[in-house]
Amino acid sequence: MSGVTLNDLFLAAFSGQPRNHGRLGREARRYARKISMRFAADLPEDHHEEIFDEAFAQLWSMPERLTSETTPLKLFRKAVLLAIRAVRVSYTPPGQRTRTYKAPPAFQVAADDVGRIPDRETIEA
């Protein structure tokens, strides 16, 4: 192991230093895939590649990457999460939710309509 981390590769890329382009892409793809499989396991295989492409493009357009307030790895994680959302939105049919929920949303009734909605006994009668 050479001791060069993904964070170091991103720092070199951001500052214009010489770096191993193939290794940066390979390690970034592996890291993005771990995150996308955790948060978007229901997506088809080809969408995970698109998530990586979108995340890499979003990372390079982030102005925060030029400051040292956050690490490049945190920025890339943020970009991957934003890319998951963007890919989901672009492939979800109109009228369907883009986020999955463990339980369906609770049925809600406006306060004015509470007296007008019949209860179970009234409907059965």
Side-chain angles (χ1 to χ4, degrees):
M1 184 112 190
S2 66
V4 177
T5 63
L6 182 58
N7 199 39
D8 296 334
L9 291 170
F10 276 129
L11 281 173
F14 292 163
S15 62
Q17 298 173 358
R19 65 195 175 281
N20 187 337
H21 295 284
R23 184 171 179 192
L24 173 63
R26 190 172 52 250
E27 294 297 319
R29 185 179 313 272
R30 191 170 61 97
Y31 185 73
R33 180 152 180 83
K34 277 186 181 180
I35 295 171
S36 68
M37 287 303 289
R38 171 144 160 70
F39 291 104
D42 58 323
L43 291 179
E45 183 66 31
D46 60 335
H47 290 7
H48 292 286
E49 283 296 316
E50 192 168 339
I51 288 171
F52 166 71
D53 295 338
E54 178 72 23
F56 215 75
Q58 284 190 14
L59 177 67
W60 285 101
S61 66
M62 288 180 170
E64 305 97 59
R65 70 181 171 86
L66 301 175
T67 63
S68 61
E69 294 173 5
T70 58
T71 65
L73 205 54
K74 286 183 182 179
L75 287 175
F76 187 60
R77 180 179 171 81
K78 179 181 173 184
V80 170
L81 294 174
L82 290 172
I84 289 171
R85 176 82 171 128
V87 168
R88 272 196 196 277
V89 165
S90 43
Y91 287 105
T92 302
Q96 285 188 352
R97 292 182 176 268
T98 56
R99 298 179 189 174
T100 57
Y101 295 96
K102 293 180 180 170
F107 180 70
Q108 296 179 351
V109 177
D112 297 339
D113 296 332
V114 170
R116 290 192 277 175
I117 297 177
D119 57 354
R120 181 180 300 161
E121 292 80 23
T122 308
I123 292 173
E124 289 176 1

